Amino acid sequence: MKNLSGQNLFTDFKLNGFSSLDEWRPFLFIPFFLFFVLSISANSILVYLIASQKSLHSPMYVLIGLMAVVHLILPIFFVPHMLLNFLFNWNEISLTGCLIQMFCIHYVGAFQSTLLLWMAIDRYFAICKPLYYHKYMEIRNFMKFVVLLVIRNGLLTITMVSLAGNLSFCVTNIIDHCFCEHMALVQLACGDISINNLVGLLTAFLIPTADCILIIVSYVVIFVSVFRSGKAQMKAINTCITHLIVLTCSLIFALTAFMSYRTKNNFSPSSRVFVSTMYIFFPSCFNPIIYGLRTKEIRQKFLHFFYNIKVLPL
């Protein structure tokens, strides 16, 4: 803690999510630990299946594999610390550590919508432009779609985190969250935070919102193309429906978490923390299950993988 002009400026913080649960708070370790194990194991199996099976090396499955990598990495940035916080009340984090965690969560998390956009592009060329599919989806051409979005995500996240790091914090050093969410930290600052709010809104509009708009437009074009061509391509649309299920689940949690910090609402602090946490946790846990159940090729490879493990001699 620093003292400047009689004002205490905090450089160390305490993550105090779900504090209203009091003595029941340590019991949160059990469900979140189980979610963490499910996320790590399900995504690891999905990544292994796609990496090890040559028949799953097409662009669509590679993108699903990259989504699994994102969901594998994302909880690691905050869940171990959160679990230790629940059990032993190890809740301290430095400003530098908080900013690093914030960057990692927001940058890697941004690729949830960006990967869904890349999947929509893949489905568009596969269904609407099948003759040009291999031309546009070969790595050299597809990198044009990749590089711009990677740079966009990086620049916006760096700007948002840098502006948060330039603030002085004098209100309190208690962050009412389980990890360093942008607005949860920024609202503890003394002075004007309007520029931080603006950049946060701009980041939300230019990354997940813009991605979702482009995804919806892509799928509208795909559905129109399929219905015009009759039932010949109805099987191809099954993958699109899977992507839409994943998009809808992610979007509901993302919008609820985002708006809970920026609008007047009746959310209790614990409810706000729960929604923000599940925005990251829910896709990480259940997206590999959704893809596994709804994607025939992945489901077959998983059953074959599970059968081989089962019959191995002890």
Side-chain angles (χ1 to χ4, degrees):
M1 182 190 294
K2 297 179 181 179
N3 189 286
L4 187 64
S5 301
Q7 214 173 33
N8 291 326
L9 300 182
F10 297 104
T11 56
D12 295 287
F13 299 89
K14 294 182 179 181
L15 295 165
N16 202 33
F18 299 110
S19 57
S20 61
L21 295 180
D22 298 324
E23 69 273 10
W24 293 101
R25 189 171 180 264
F27 290 97
L28 289 175
F29 174 88
I30 298 171
F32 281 107
F33 176 74
L34 293 176
F35 275 132
F36 185 55
V37 171
L38 175 61
S39 172
I40 296 298
S41 56
N43 286 293
S44 296
I45 291 171
L46 186 56
V47 170
Y48 171 77
L49 288 176
I50 292 173
S52 62
Q53 303 296 322
K54 290 185 178 180
S55 60
L56 298 179
H57 287 181
S58 64
M60 182 185 71
Y61 297 114
V62 170
L63 290 171
I64 292 174
L66 289 174
M67 180 71 86
V69 171
V70 167
H71 290 149
L72 180 64
I73 294 172
L74 201 51
I76 294 173
F77 292 135
F78 75 97
V79 175
H81 187 273
M82 182 177 72
L83 294 176
L84 292 173
N85 189 347
F86 290 153
L87 274 186
F88 307 112
N89 204 30
W90 294 357
N91 56 5
E92 294 187 357
I93 188 168
S94 66
L95 177 59
T96 301
C98 191
L99 293 172
I100 291 171
Q101 187 188 66
M102 184 191 300
F103 172 79
C104 292
I105 290 173
H106 283 84
Y107 182 66
V108 175
F111 283 95
Q112 293 183 92
S113 64
T114 302
L115 278 162
L116 287 170
L117 174 57
W118 290 335
M119 291 178 189
I121 293 171
D122 172 82
R123 292 298 85 198
Y124 170 76
F125 285 119
I127 295 172
C128 301
K129 305 283 184 182
L131 296 178
Y132 299 96
Y133 178 78
H134 293 290
K135 175 185 175 182
Y136 286 106
M137 294 307 295
E138 66 178 10
I139 190 66
R140 189 179 301 175
N141 290 325
F142 190 68
M143 284 302 293
K144 297 174 185 176
F145 300 107
V146 172
V147 172
L148 289 176
L149 297 181
V150 170
I151 293 173
R152 175 202 65 175
N153 293 3
L155 288 176
L156 288 169
T157 307
I158 289 171
T159 302
M160 183 178 70
V161 175
S162 298
L163 288 171
N166 288 331
L167 294 172
S168 298
F169 301 93
C170 60
V171 176
T172 178
N173 70 335
I174 304 297
I175 301 176
D176 196 3
H177 214 297
C178 292
F179 58 87
C180 288
E181 202 275 338
H182 176 245
M183 284 306 299
L185 175 66
V186 166
Q187 66 186 8
L188 305 182
C190 39
D192 185 26
I193 59 169
S194 56
I195 186 66
N196 300 86
N197 275 320
L198 180 62
V199 172
L201 285 167
L202 190 64
T203 301
F205 177 76
L206 292 178
I207 299 181
T209 306
D211 288 348
C212 288
I213 291 171
L214 292 172
I215 290 167
I216 291 168
V217 170
S218 299
Y219 284 130
V220 167
V221 174
I222 289 170
F223 287 140
V224 169
S225 175
V226 169
F227 291 133
R228 280 181 178 175
S229 64
K231 296 183 178 180
Q233 297 189 57
M234 285 304 289
K235 282 187 177 181
I237 211 168
N238 181 61
T239 307
C240 299
I241 293 172
T242 303
H243 296 331
L244 286 174
I245 292 171
V246 171
L247 174 64
T248 303
C249 294
S250 300
L251 195 57
I252 289 171
F253 279 107
L255 289 175
T256 307
F258 180 79
M259 297 307 293
S260 67
Y261 278 98
R262 290 172 172 83
T263 60
K264 291 183 178 180
N265 53 69
N266 295 321
F267 277 101
S268 66
S270 292
S271 298
R272 190 182 293 124
V273 173
F274 175 76
V275 172
S276 294
T277 306
M278 291 309 295
Y279 161 56
I280 297 176
F281 240 142
F282 185 87
S284 294
C285 292
F286 294 103
N287 281 5
I289 297 173
I290 293 170
Y291 282 119
L293 290 175
R294 290 194 54 83
T295 308
K296 181 181 177 181
E297 291 79 4
I298 293 177
R299 185 170 66 249
Q300 289 176 339
K301 296 298 181 184
F302 172 75
L303 292 174
H304 181 69
F305 168 77
F306 183 75
Y307 176 77
N308 285 343
I309 292 177
K310 193 175 179 180
V311 299
L312 282 175
L314 296 176

